[in-house]
Amino acid sequence: YTFQSVGMNIDCVITEQGSNLLVHTDLDMTTTGGNDFSTASTIPVMRDLRLNDDTSAVIGKPAFVGSLDDVYSNRRYVIEVTVTKAM
């Protein structure tokens, strides 16, 4: 048996630069794409989507981080972040 990690992982780190907020985002999504039928193998094809970005943000307002097109399907992922102040 071989085990693979499949799913989505989003890590965000907020830093202050003067009066501005900077959000560093690392997004990693792994999916199975079925079998590669060009070979006789029964091993599933693993697909990775990754996004690394730095975005300026304002507390309480959504900020665009990035977008990803999944070339293996008709899906488009739009990533936004909203910073809220914790009490």
Side-chain angles (χ1 to χ4, degrees), residues 17-28:
Q17 292 184 336
S19 61
N20 297 324
L21 295 175
L22 185 68
V23 180
H24 176 77
T25 305
D26 289 321
L27 180 139
D28 185 16

Side-chain angles (χ1 to χ4, degrees), residues 11-37:
D11 293 319
C12 291
V13 177
I14 301 171
T15 57
E16 290 184 83
Q17 292 184 336
S19 61
N20 297 324
L21 295 175
L22 185 68
V23 180
H24 176 77
T25 305
D26 289 321
L27 180 139
D28 185 16
M29 183 172 73
T30 305
T31 61
T32 57
N35 292 327
D36 183 359
F37 294 110

Side-chain angles (χ1 to χ4, degrees), residues 4-8 28-34 44-49 70 72-73 75 77:
Q4 296 288 333
S5 177
V6 176
M8 183 177 292
D28 185 16
M29 183 172 73
T30 305
T31 61
T32 57
V45 176
M46 304 301 287
R47 317 248 183 195
D48 275 339
L49 291 172
D70 186 350
Y72 301 105
S73 70
R75 294 185 179 121
Y77 300 96

Side-chain angles (χ1 to χ4, degrees), residues 22-84:
L22 185 68
V23 180
H24 176 77
T25 305
D26 289 321
L27 180 139
D28 185 16
M29 183 172 73
T30 305
T31 61
T32 57
N35 292 327
D36 183 359
F37 294 110
S38 63
T39 65
S41 175
T42 59
I43 299 171
V45 176
M46 304 301 287
R47 317 248 183 195
D48 275 339
L49 291 172
R50 291 190 176 149
L51 174 72
N52 298 315
D53 192 64
D54 291 318
T55 305
S56 294
V58 176
I59 293 176
K61 294 186 179 181
F64 176 75
V65 173
S67 64
L68 297 165
D69 290 326
D70 186 350
V71 297
Y72 301 105
S73 70
N74 291 328
R75 294 185 179 121
R76 179 181 192 115
Y77 300 96
V78 177
I79 312 301
E80 292 183 345
V81 63
T82 303
V83 177
T84 56

